[in-house]
Amino acid sequence: MTTIFTPLTLPNGAVIPNRIAKAATQENLADNDQNPSKELFQLYKAWSEGGSGLSISGHIMVDRRAVGGAGDVVLEDDSNLDTFKEWAKVGSVGGNHFWLQINHPGKQLFYNLGQPALAPSAIPLANASMFAVPQEITESQILEVIERFKTTSQLAERAGFHGVQIHAAHGYLLSQFLSPLSNKREDKWGGSRENRARLLFEVIKTVRSAVSPGFCVGVKINSADFQRGGFDNDDAQWVIEQMNSMSVDLVELSGGNLESPVIMGPDAALSSDKESKAASTIAREAYFLTFAEEISKIATMPIMLTGGITRRAVMDKVVESGVAMIGMATALILKPDLPNELKKDLDPNPRMPSINWGQKSLTALVKISYLNHYLRVVAENQEKSSSVWPSWALAKQLWGLNSRAKVYRKHMEGYTYKGPVTTQ
Ligand SMILES: Cc1cc2nc3c(=O)[nH]c(=O)nc-3n(C[C@H](O)[C@H](O)[C@H](O)COP(=O)(O)O)c2cc1C
């Protein structure tokens, strides 16, 4: 019988020691040159020693000019590869896999970073004045993005990571291309479903053929964007069916984006057509379980489900349903050694206090700020008891984002674009 501690063999033959994954968590903890910092080493060591079979990094940017946050790590050339090598090593001391999540923000780019935002179409984010107004990305810029995903993947392999996860969820560039709401192009990169998925498929195929067969290539994708007329369950199913023939090793299912931030709370997630019919408590706790069960039957690669999972009974149910891996961010931020506790038959069920500030996006921001506080507690090796009021966490987060943006702008003053980066 498969349990949460059964090893998982991926399509490329690599073995993940158990079914628990630390899902990607943007930490905003890069050093001032956008490299992994000592705090990130400490954080990923804690997760590795905590017993998860797989750690996926917070999103790593493929282009220094386009970051999802001013404190994001960038990997676009080999000038600091030794630092990444050290990170890869320390983040897998416990015998787990350590993958880099690789990403391009597209129009989810804060305007105070002073960089142009690129998007499939020049459509600004709804109700999001903190973000730059995007320009339509050109064909040659699209080709450069593909090349950059390839370069970053090759560098990740050289640095000693076990794999990469291509981020095609949560409204970032690849997810923007998939969405009929944000992609209104009339060339071969927009319009039909095939055309909207072209960029993602090109990135997957290019990355897969540029790295060794034993190096893992995963994809994170939305089960739906939860927006009327947006990328929905049928689109996601079709994309995954196409990926069956692309040698993808693991597909992680999530949902939503900045305009519809469902990953930070179950209420909105349950408004999806399929999930709303999921009556049981367990299905409500694992937000996208109904869809993941269905997809696991048609996908040839293993499926990982992330969103809402904190309790042992829910984890058992997910694995019993045929879903290969359980992804957790919140629970593993609050309790990095959760897998070790579960091994001892303990069930600490680490959850956030209930936070509701009325407006959905604001509530999501407060929750993220609260969890960011705890990321720092672990990263800076502070006393575990260090607690925080959500409003204080929010104030600290906003202040941090602003001061970090100044550091980034200064860093970019000395930056010269040398053209598309390639690696042997
Ligand atoms: C602080 C924080 C940062 C996150 N950063 C990322 C990220 O960089 N990339 C990503 O795909 N998801 C990111 N997420 C979303 C998580 O990976 C996950 O999909 C989501 O939190 C739902 O899982 P959970 O209920 O276990 O927290 C982040 C979540 C949190 C709380």
Side-chain angles (χ1 to χ4, degrees), residues 36-277:
S37 61
K38 297 283 174 239
E39 288 76 19
L40 281 174
F41 292 173
Q42 169 60 29
L43 191 52
Y44 280 82
K45 181 166 176 277
W47 275 316
S48 179
E49 290 174 341
S52 298
L54 167 64
S55 273
I56 302 176
S57 73
H59 65 181
I60 303 296
M61 296 297 134
V62 300
D63 188 336
R64 193 168 296 273
R65 298 163 301 169
V67 295
D72 286 343
V73 172
V74 176
L75 180 55
E76 61 172 14
D77 59 37
D78 60 6
S79 54
N80 284 293
L81 209 60
D82 284 347
T83 318
F84 284 88
K85 284 182 182 165
E86 209 179 324
W87 194 25
K89 204 162 148 197
V90 76
S92 48
V93 282
N96 57 296
H97 265 224
F98 186 10
W99 297 9
L100 289 187
Q101 183 186 66
I102 55 177
N103 194 21
H104 188 296
K107 64 180 163 181
Q108 292 191 161
L109 186 136
F110 291 104
Y111 81 88
N112 69 358
L113 299 178
Q115 297 295 323
L118 301 177
S121 306
I123 304 170
L125 286 169
N127 308 320
S129 54
M130 286 157 82
F131 292 88
V133 175
Q135 305 165 6
E136 181 174 305
I137 189 170
T138 63
E139 167 105 358
S140 67
Q141 287 168 325
I142 291 176
L143 298 177
E144 180 179 350
V145 165
I146 298 170
E147 194 64 21
R148 282 180 172 275
F149 272 97
K150 169 183 146 193
T151 302
T152 303
S153 305
Q154 290 176 314
L155 292 167
E157 182 174 10
R158 276 174 60 197
F161 292 92
H162 299 84
V164 287
Q165 182 188 58
I166 297 163
H167 196 355
H170 301 169
Y172 291 102
L173 184 69
L174 300 181
S175 157
Q176 286 159 31
F177 266 87
L178 289 171
S179 161
L181 293 178
S182 54
N183 183 350
K184 302 280 187 197
R185 297 177 77 93
E186 290 174 358
D187 59 5
K188 67 176 188 180
W189 305 98
S192 65
R193 191 150 70 174
E194 286 77 5
N195 281 354
R196 282 184 278 113
R198 189 181 304 281
L199 177 57
L200 170 61
F201 295 162
E202 286 302 317
V203 168
I204 296 171
K205 289 181 203 161
T206 306
V207 167
R208 182 70 276 175
S209 62
V211 295
S212 312
F215 186 75
C216 306
V217 177
V219 177
K220 184 164 184 170
I221 188 172
N222 278 351
S223 55
D225 288 350
F226 300 93
Q227 288 176 298
R228 203 175 298 278
F231 183 81
D232 62 15
N233 285 161
D234 288 342
D235 292 325
Q237 177 167 338
W238 179 82
V239 170
I240 293 165
E241 278 167 352
Q242 307 310 302
M243 290 197 292
N244 275 342
S245 61
M246 295 180 199
S247 303
V248 171
D249 296 301
L250 185 68
V251 169
E252 179 183 359
L253 290 177
S254 188
N257 52 38
L258 281 177
E259 292 173 330
S260 175
V262 298
I263 52 165
M264 283 290 107
D267 302 349
L270 287 171
S271 68
S272 134
D273 42 351
K274 287 197 170 130
E275 308 303 327
S276 61
K277 297 187 187 91

Side-chain angles (χ1 to χ4, degrees), residues 22-28 56-61 72 101 103 165 167-170 172 220 252-255 262-265 285 287-288 304-310 327-333 352 367-372 375 397:
K22 197 286 289 175
T25 44
Q26 179 189 18
E27 293 97 6
N28 289 303
I56 302 176
S57 73
H59 65 181
I60 303 296
M61 296 297 134
D72 286 343
Q101 183 186 66
N103 194 21
Q165 182 188 58
H167 196 355
H170 301 169
Y172 291 102
K220 184 164 184 170
E252 179 183 359
L253 290 177
S254 188
V262 298
I263 52 165
M264 283 290 107
E285 280 181 53
Y287 308 154
F288 317 111
M304 167 170 153
L305 176 64
T306 303
I309 305 167
T310 58
M328 290 183 275
T330 300
L332 285 166
I333 291 171
M352 265 196 296
K367 288 181 177 178
I368 292 271
S369 307
Y370 180 87
L371 290 168
N372 254 292
L375 279 173
Q397 177 90 349

Side-chain angles (χ1 to χ4, degrees), residues 338-352:
L338 174 62
N340 287 344
E341 299 265 292
L342 295 166
K343 248 182 230 158
K344 291 186 226 152
D345 274 337
L346 300 170
D347 191 12
N349 190 16
R351 305 176 81 99
M352 265 196 296

